[in-house]
Amino acid sequence: MDSYTENMENITTFGLPAQVRVFPIRTEEDIISYFRDINGDFFVLGGGSNIIASESITAKDILKIEIPGIYITRESPEEAYLFAGAGENWDNVVKWAVHKKLSGIEALSSIPGTVGATPVQNVGAYGTEIKDTLISVRAYDITQGKFVELDNMDCEFSYRWSIFKGRDKDKYIITSILLKLTKLPPKMPEYPVVKKYFDEIGIKNPTVSEIRDAIIEIRKSKLPSPDIIPNCGSFFENPIIEEDVAKKLKEKYPHMPQYDMGNSKVKIPAGFLIEESGLKGVQFDHIGTYEKNALVLINLGGAKFEDVLHAKNEIIQRVKDKFGVTLETEPEFI
Ligand code: NAP
């Protein structure tokens, strides 16, 4: 089967170097061929926008998922079922759906990465999550050596979480997803930043395409383009803490944003904690926190895996010292 040598720098958005052997996976057949003919130690890569890889990745085969396809499988006057191959760029799928005036994923505009990555961490933004429209996931079950269909419930989605990230990590290779989108007018995202955007331009009931444009604009102002500044988006997860701990923090820091998650849990924006720890726009050798958004770590040039570890540990420690909250990283470390 096809393979070539590549530098991880060119296939991941954080740009850390390491020579690897890449096996492009363009069809489901390619997966079967890989396990039949090669069957080595491997790592599954999509858009490379959520991984921080050490030199040790060199020892692994990179299965680069490039399975294509965006089309409607069936539709009615109210809704449409959208198939998307795991290798498609996620934002192209959103663009395609919005162009067809289909609603359900427009708030997930501009999220980097491929389709196959979206169910793994139940990607979400501005009040929409992939679980809200996802009907099923098709995947290769490595343990059984066959393709399976998992429905929405099987994936056990929760906030930025699913079985693919939890108990079934490394069990499946996702090859496609099926979404159910609506032809009804879209819902306005209930986020102040989105509402403010539409208030300012005087639109009360935005179309699906106007919501997409708004999200792209808002994200552009907070997230650097990886083509210009290497980064992997939000570097830390928003911590979810116990209600009583959150209450004490609120007494001490009344301006701290807090969002009720139910079950006596409260979510705090990680970006707030980092910024309030004096870490916005700071540098740790080759790594920096982005000046417009402390939640984003950027590669200032020539960074190595150890530099990322150092910056990450330093930030976690400083936030813990100030707030007693331990941040967890969002990208996968290999
Ligand atoms: P933001 O809008 O500054 O919000 C920061 C935090 O506040 C997020 O945890 C967000 O919750 C929460 N929040 C804000 N308004 C809220 C409301 N009305 N109700 C409930 N929670 C509220 O976030 P950002 O960093 O610029 O990111 C923008 C959006 O993209 C956020 O929704 C964020 O979660 C999402 N995002 C997702 C991923 C991912 O899926 N891996 C990565 C990066 C960013 P939510 O997180 O629940 O939205």
Side-chain angles (χ1 to χ4, degrees):
M1 73 175 295
D2 277 4
S3 72
Y4 55 90
T5 304
E6 179 57 284
N7 195 321
M8 285 293 279
E9 211 171 351
N10 302 323
I11 49 175
T12 55
T13 61
F14 206 84
L16 299 182
Q19 289 291 323
V20 287
R21 190 170 180 213
V22 174
F23 291 82
I25 303 294
R26 301 189 183 104
T27 63
E28 291 189 348
E29 230 355 89
D30 288 340
I31 298 181
I32 295 177
S33 303
Y34 176 81
F35 286 104
R36 187 191 55 219
D37 303 340
I38 316 280
N39 204 15
D41 188 11
F42 66 91
F43 179 78
V44 178
L45 184 75
S49 58
N50 210 31
I51 90 158
I52 300 290
S54 69
E55 280 277 342
S56 69
I57 192 88
T58 319
K60 292 182 191 280
D61 295 335
I62 303 296
L63 305 191
K64 190 162 182 297
I65 308 301
E66 297 176 3
I67 298 171
I70 311 176
Y71 55 87
I72 288 169
T73 59
R74 64 190 160 100
E75 62 186 312
S76 69
E78 294 87 32
E79 61 201 24
Y81 288 76
L82 178 76
F83 168 98
E88 290 287 348
N89 171 281
W90 169 253
D91 194 51
N92 280 346
V93 175
V94 180
K95 191 172 162 189
W96 194 96
V98 166
H99 183 69
K100 299 256 178 219
K101 298 191 170 52
L102 296 172
S103 168
I105 51 175
E106 58 279 1
L108 305 180
S109 288
S110 210
I111 292 179
T114 49
V115 164
T118 58
V120 176
Q121 57 163 317
N122 182 23
V123 157
Y126 305 104
T128 297
E129 295 177 311
I130 191 76
K131 79 164 170 54
D132 304 336
T133 50
L134 188 132
I135 295 294
S136 60
V137 170
R138 186 170 158 83
Y140 183 75
D141 180 332
I142 298 162
T143 56
Q144 295 192 67
K146 64 172 192 185
F147 287 93
V148 292
E149 304 276 340
L150 301 158
D151 67 23
N152 187 305
M153 294 293 277
D154 295 333
C155 301
E156 294 177 21
F157 291 119
S158 59
Y159 184 68
R160 309 288 180 263
W161 195 260
S162 75
I163 54 161
F164 307 111
K165 200 172 166 182
R167 70 175 157 78
D168 286 338
K169 186 167 159 36
D170 300 332
K171 182 176 175 188
Y172 297 108
I173 298 177
I174 295 172
T175 56
S176 65
I177 64 172
L178 185 68
L179 304 176
K180 185 164 99 173
L181 304 178
T182 172
K183 296 180 181 176
L184 300 174
K187 286 194 204 107
M188 165 86 100
E190 290 295 317
Y191 273 49
V193 64
V194 184
K195 284 189 161 164
K196 182 167 168 268
Y197 176 96
F198 284 116
D199 282 350
E200 278 172 11
I201 55 173
I203 294 181
K204 280 204 166 56
N205 298 304
T207 62
V208 73
S209 137
E210 285 167 338
I211 293 177
R212 172 169 165 80
D213 291 347
I215 301 294
I216 292 173
E217 202 55 38
I218 292 165
R219 290 184 66 102
K220 220 191 282 174
S221 66
K222 294 185 76 175
L223 295 164
S225 163
D227 297 335
I228 300 164
I229 304 175
N231 75 90
C232 53
S234 304
F235 202 88
F236 295 96
E237 292 174 351
N238 295 313
I240 294 170
I241 61 172
E242 295 299 327
E243 203 172 46
D244 53 339
V245 179
K247 212 169 148 199
K248 284 193 188 116
L249 281 171
K250 191 80 179 169
E251 280 162 16
K252 203 164 169 200
Y253 307 100
H255 61 306
M256 175 185 283
Q258 298 191 343
Y259 302 96
D260 183 14
M261 298 290 281
N263 294 326
S264 310
K265 305 274 187 208
V266 171
K267 179 178 64 190
I268 303 175
F272 171 88
L273 301 175
I274 300 169
E275 189 173 339
E276 292 285 312
S277 302
L279 293 170
K280 192 178 188 179
V282 300
Q283 294 187 8
F284 304 89
D285 298 325
H286 300 276
I287 303 291
T289 56
Y290 188 46
E291 63 197 359
K292 293 183 194 161
N293 182 356
L295 190 53
V296 178
L297 294 203
I298 56 180
N299 180 348
L300 298 167
K304 297 263 169 26
F305 182 74
E306 292 68 31
D307 298 325
V308 187
L309 282 187
H310 171 67
K312 166 191 94 107
N313 292 340
E314 196 70 23
I315 293 168
I316 290 174
Q317 193 57 52
R318 293 267 292 269
V319 168
K320 183 148 177 56
D321 290 347
K322 186 166 169 90
F323 296 103
V325 174
T326 305
L327 293 179
E328 303 277 349
T329 50
E330 188 173 293
E332 185 176 357
F333 277 68
I334 306 155

